[in-house]
C-alpha cells in the first residue's frame, strides 16, 4: 500500500477506507461511451444549425446570430428532429464507425443528405430554400461540409489515447479473455486494456491475449496507479473465489477515483447483449432483480400497442383482398397461417400471419427459419420483404398477447428444446413477446442452438433495459429494415 494510505480493520477482517486516500486526477479526461455520443450529437447539432443559419444569412440577409435561431426556432427544431430520425435509421452514432474518418464522414453525410432532402420537400413550415436551386444546393453543401468537419475532428481528436479509458482486468481466465475480445471488437479506440492481475500468476503465461499479467490482487492498487487506470474490471464469475484481500483492493481502487465494474456489465454495455456464458450464479446478470417495469411505462406501452394495432388492423382490411388473391394465384392453401407460440409467463397463444410458405413446408416436423428459405413461395418472399405478412399480428396486439416491441415469440417445440440446452432461456418470457425486438434488429435468422443463444442474449438485454427510448430505437431500426426490403 502507498504510505499515504491509512485504514482500520473491521470485524469482518476487511480494512475500512479512510478519507486520507487520494483521488487519481490523471484519469479525468477519459470519456465514457455515453459522453462520446453526447459530444458527437452536440457537434452534429451545431453543424446543422450553423448550416441553416449560414444559408439564411447569405440568401435572405438574416442576422448571423442566435437571435435568428430564437426568432425562427420552429425551422431549426424541425431540422434537428429530422436529423434525429434519420440518425436512428442509419445508425449514425455507432462509435466504431464514427472513430474512423472515412466511415464516420460517409455515415453522417448520408444522414445529412436524407435530412436535407426531407427538409426541402416540406412546404410552408420550412424556409423557402427550395424556391431557388442555388439556395437548395448551398444548403445541402453547407450541411455536408460542416457535418464532415465535425466528424473529422471527432475521429482525429477524441480517439487519441488521452481520452480513452484505461482498463485493468482482474482475472486472466476465460471471462477475462472474452472481455479482451469484446473490447477489441466493439471499442478498440475507446478503451485500452493495459493488462491483467491474477492470483494464479504461477499458473498463467506472462502474457494472455497479448496483454501482460502484471501481478496479483496484492499488487492491484499499485499496478492500477502505475498504469493510470481509470477502470478496474472484475472478470471472476464465481463470487466465492473473491478473497478478503481482493475485495479490499477493489474498494481501495474505487476510493482512488477508479471505476470498478464487473465483466458482465462491461460486455453488456459494449455489445447490447447479456453474456450468459459468464453469468455464473449471479441472477442480476440475467434479470433486473428488484426493479420491475415502471407502471407509467407499462401503461404508455400498452396504449401505444393499441394505437398501432388499430392502424395495423385498418391497413390489413385495405390490403386483404389483394394479398388474398395473390396467395391464391400462387398456389393452393389457406390465406392465413396460424401457429401456437409461447407468450408472457409461458402462456401459449395463437399467432396469425399471412401464409408465406408451401402447405407441405413442415411435413417432416418443425424446422428453423433461414435466409432464402426454399419453403417460401414466390409471393411469400415478397410479402416477407415488404413485411406485409406481419399485418395480421395486429389482432394479437389488440388482444394483448403481443406488444410492438419485445422478444419474438417462439414455438412450444423449440422452447422445450432450447430450455434443455440454454440456461435462463425462459427468462425471456418475463415480458410480452413483440412483433419486432432487439434481437431482430441486431441479428439475422437463427438456424442453430448457437444462434438461439446469441438471440437470447439480445432478448435478455431488452428484458433488463426496456424503456421508451429503447423501444423507439428498435422501432426506428425496424423501419430501416423494412425500407431496405430485408427479411429479418
Amino acid at each position: 500500500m502507498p504510505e499515504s494510505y491509512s485504514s482500520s480493520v473491521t470485524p469482518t477482517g476487511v480494512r475500512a477506507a479512510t478519507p486520507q486516500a487520494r483521488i487519481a486526477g490523471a484519469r479525468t479526461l477519459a470519456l465514457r461511451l455515453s459522453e462520446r455520443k453526447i459530444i458527437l450529437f452536440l457537434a452534429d447539432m451545431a453543424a446543422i444549425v450553423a448550416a441553416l443559419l449560414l444559408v439564411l444569412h447569405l440568401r435572405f440577409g438574416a442576422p448571423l446570430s442566435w437571435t435568428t435561431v430564437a426568432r425562427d426556432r420552429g425551422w431549426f427544431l424541425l431540422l434537428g428532429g429530422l436529423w434525429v430520425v434519420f440518425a436512428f435509421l442509419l445508425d449514425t452514432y455507432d462509435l466504431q464507425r464514427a472513430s474512423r474518418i472515412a466511415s464516420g464522414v460517409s455515415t453522417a453525410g448520408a444522414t445529412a443528405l436524407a435530412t436535407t432532402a426531407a427538409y426541402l420537400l416540406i412546404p410552408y413550415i420550412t424556409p423557402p430554400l427550395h424556391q431557388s436551386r442555388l439556395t437548395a444546393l448551398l444548403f445541402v453543401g453547407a450541411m455536408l461540409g460542416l457535418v464532415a468537419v465535425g466528424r473529422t475532428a471527432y475521429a482525429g481528436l477524441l480517439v487519441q489515447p488521452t481520452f480513452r479509458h484505461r482498463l485493468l482486468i482482474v482475472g486472466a481466465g476465460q471471462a477475462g479473455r472474452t472481455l479482451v475480445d469484446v473490447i477489441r471488437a466493439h471499442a478498440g479506440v475507446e478503451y485500452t486494456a493495459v493488462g491483467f492481475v491474477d492470483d494464479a500468476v504461477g499458473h498463467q503465461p506472462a502474457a494472455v491475449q497479448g496483454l501482460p499479467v502484471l501481478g496479483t490482487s496484492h499488487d492491484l492498487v499499485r499496478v492500477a496507479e502505475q498504469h493510470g487506470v481509470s477502470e478496474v474490471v472484475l472478470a471472476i464469475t464465481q463470487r466465492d473465489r473473491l478473497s478478503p484481500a481482493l475485495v479490499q483492493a477493489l474498494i481501495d481502487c474505487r476510493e482512488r477515483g477508479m471505476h470498478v465494474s464487473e465483466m458482465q456489465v462491461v460486455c453488456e454495455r459494449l455489445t447490447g447483449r447479456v453474456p450468459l456464458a459468464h453469468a455464473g450464479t449471479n441472477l442480476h446478470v440475467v434479470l433486473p432483480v428488484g426493479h420491475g417495469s415502471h407502471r407509467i411505462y407499462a401503461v404508455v406501452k400498452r396504449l401505444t400497442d393499441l394505437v398501432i394495432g388499430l392502424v395495423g388492423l385498418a391497413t390489413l382490411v385495405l390490403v386483404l383482398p389483394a394479398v388474398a388473391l395473390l396467395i391464391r394465384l400462387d398456389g393452393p392453401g389457406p390465406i392465413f397461417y396460424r401457429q401456437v407460440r409461447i407468450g408472457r409467463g409461458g402462456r401459449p397463444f395463437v399467432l396469425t400471419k399471412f401464409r408465406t410458405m408451401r402447405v407441405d413446408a413442415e411435413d417432416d416436423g418443425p424446422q428453423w427459419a433461414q435466409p432464402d428459405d426454399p419453403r417460401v413461395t414466390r409471393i411469400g418472399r415478397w410479402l416477407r420483404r415488404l413485411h406485409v405478412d406481419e399485418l395480421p399480428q395486429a389482432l394479437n396486439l389488440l388482444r394483448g398477447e403481443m406488444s410492438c416491441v419485445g422478444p419474438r415469440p417462439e414455438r412450444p417445440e423449440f422452447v422445450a428444446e432450447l430450455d434443455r440446452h440454454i440456461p435462463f432461456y425462459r427468462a425471456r418470457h418475463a415480458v410480452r413477446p413483440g412483433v419486432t425486438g432487439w434481437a431482430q434488429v441486431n441479428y439475422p435468422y437463427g438456424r442453430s442452438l448457437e444462434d438461439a443463444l446469441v438471440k437470447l442474449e439480445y432478448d435478455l438485454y431488452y428484458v433488463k433495459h426496456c424503456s421508451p427510448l429503447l423501444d423507439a430505437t428498435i422501432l426506428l431500426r425496424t423501419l430501416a429494415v423494412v425500407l431496405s426490403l430485408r427479411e429479418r
Side-chain angles (χ1 to χ4, degrees):
M1 292 292 173
E3 293 181 0
S4 59
Y5 177 81
S6 61
S7 63
S8 59
V9 179
T10 68
T12 60
V14 177
R15 291 188 302 278
T18 61
Q20 284 77 16
R22 58 186 176 84
I23 304 299
R27 307 179 190 94
T28 55
L29 291 179
L31 295 173
R32 298 182 182 182
L33 298 183
S34 58
E35 292 170 341
R36 289 175 178 274
K37 289 185 178 182
I38 291 172
I39 290 172
L40 203 53
F41 175 75
L42 292 177
D44 289 337
M45 286 295 103
I48 66 175
V49 167
L52 181 56
L53 186 61
L54 180 63
V55 173
L56 293 176
H57 172 70
L58 294 176
R59 301 297 292 172
F60 303 103
L64 196 62
S65 68
W66 284 107
T67 58
T68 302
V69 179
R71 184 191 65 199
D72 300 314
R73 55 186 174 275
W75 291 350
F76 292 90
L77 289 173
L78 177 59
L79 181 62
L82 288 172
W83 174 273
V84 169
V85 170
F86 287 110
F88 269 108
L89 290 175
L90 299 174
D91 203 12
T92 307
Y93 293 98
D94 182 310
L95 293 180
Q96 283 291 90
R97 282 189 286 181
S99 65
R100 297 184 294 272
I101 293 178
S103 57
V105 170
S106 63
T107 303
T111 306
L113 284 174
T115 300
T116 52
Y119 197 70
L120 291 170
L121 291 173
I122 298 175
Y124 306 118
I125 59 175
T126 58
L129 305 174
H130 59 282
Q131 293 181 0
S132 164
R133 282 181 291 182
L134 177 60
T135 304
L137 288 173
L138 182 62
F139 176 52
V140 174
M143 279 274 284
L144 287 172
L146 292 176
V147 167
V149 168
R151 289 294 175 130
T152 301
Y154 174 88
L157 296 175
L158 293 186
V159 299
Q160 297 301 315
T162 303
F163 300 101
R164 296 182 188 177
H165 270 292
R166 293 176 63 81
L167 270 65
L168 179 62
I169 302 171
V170 180
Q174 187 58 46
R177 295 183 178 97
T178 298
L179 177 59
V180 172
D181 290 338
V182 168
I183 291 172
R184 288 171 176 169
H186 296 275
V189 296
E190 290 86 15
Y191 287 86
T192 297
V194 301
F196 299 90
V197 297
D198 194 295
D199 285 341
V201 170
H203 302 284
Q204 295 283 7
V208 176
Q209 299 288 81
L211 298 175
V213 179
L214 300 168
T216 68
S217 58
H218 297 285
D219 307 307
L220 177 57
V221 177
R222 175 184 58 79
V223 168
E225 291 194 325
Q226 283 180 350
H227 288 80
V229 168
S230 57
E231 187 167 359
V232 177
V233 184
L234 183 63
I236 300 175
T237 56
Q238 301 300 323
R239 292 296 175 264
D240 56 358
R241 294 178 56 190
L242 300 185
S243 65
L246 176 55
V247 172
Q248 182 59 53
L250 292 171
I251 294 173
D252 294 345
C253 289
R254 183 67 187 92
E255 191 179 49
R256 283 160 168 74
M258 307 172 208
H259 295 285
V260 177
S261 308
E262 294 181 312
M263 171 267 185
Q264 298 92 335
V265 174
V266 176
C267 288
E268 197 173 299
R269 185 167 69 228
L270 296 181
T271 65
R273 294 162 49 186
V274 173
L276 285 178
H278 305 284
T281 57
N282 299 315
L283 188 60
H284 76 274
V285 174
V286 181
L287 289 176
V289 178
H291 295 83
S293 298
H294 198 285
R295 290 184 179 181
I296 296 178
Y297 165 64
V299 171
V300 170
K301 185 170 185 178
R302 181 60 189 142
L303 290 175
T304 303
D305 291 341
L306 289 173
V307 171
I308 295 179
L310 290 172
V311 173
L313 183 61
T315 307
L316 173 63
V317 171
L318 291 175
V319 305
L320 179 58
V323 174
L325 178 61
L326 290 171
I327 292 175
R328 284 293 190 190
L329 291 175
D330 198 33
I335 304 300
F336 294 104
Y337 178 68
R338 296 178 176 87
Q339 193 177 73
V340 176
R341 299 288 179 99
I342 300 299
R344 185 177 185 179
R347 292 184 292 271
F349 70 97
V350 178
L351 179 142
T352 305
K353 299 174 68 174
F354 281 122
R355 183 176 62 84
T356 58
M357 290 189 177
R358 304 189 311 266
V359 291
D360 62 347
E362 294 196 331
D363 283 353
D364 297 327
Q367 300 177 38
W368 297 99
Q370 54 186 307
D372 300 320
D373 200 316
R375 299 171 297 165
V376 177
T377 63
R378 291 172 299 174
I379 294 301
R381 196 165 303 283
W382 280 105
L383 293 179
R384 288 188 171 199
R385 287 182 178 176
L386 297 171
H387 295 266
V388 173
D389 63 315
E390 310 279 359
L391 280 176
Q393 291 173 76
L395 299 171
N396 298 113
L397 285 177
L398 295 174
R399 289 197 293 257
E401 297 162 336
M402 294 180 66
S403 178
C404 287
V405 179
R408 282 293 293 171
E410 196 51 85
R411 301 171 65 175
E413 300 90 343
F414 292 149
V415 169
E417 179 185 359
L418 294 170
D419 189 43
R420 287 195 302 269
H421 295 91
I422 300 177
F424 308 113
Y425 184 80
R426 290 183 179 269
R428 69 197 299 274
H429 299 151
V431 298
R432 279 194 184 94
V435 177
T436 185
W438 188 235
Q440 277 60 49
V441 299
N442 282 287
Y443 201 76
Y445 280 113
R447 290 173 287 178
S448 64
L449 285 173
E450 291 74 17
D451 290 335
L453 174 60
V454 174
K455 299 195 81 168
L456 174 62
E457 291 178 336
Y458 282 115
D459 286 336
L460 293 184
Y461 180 90
Y462 178 80
V463 171
K464 290 182 66 175
H465 301 282
C466 55
S467 67
L469 179 59
L470 183 55
D471 286 347
T473 300
I474 293 169
L475 289 173
L476 285 171
R477 290 181 63 178
T478 299
L479 178 59
V481 172
V482 172
L483 293 176
S484 68
L485 300 183
R486 286 179 289 157
E487 296 181 34
R488 184 58 70 94

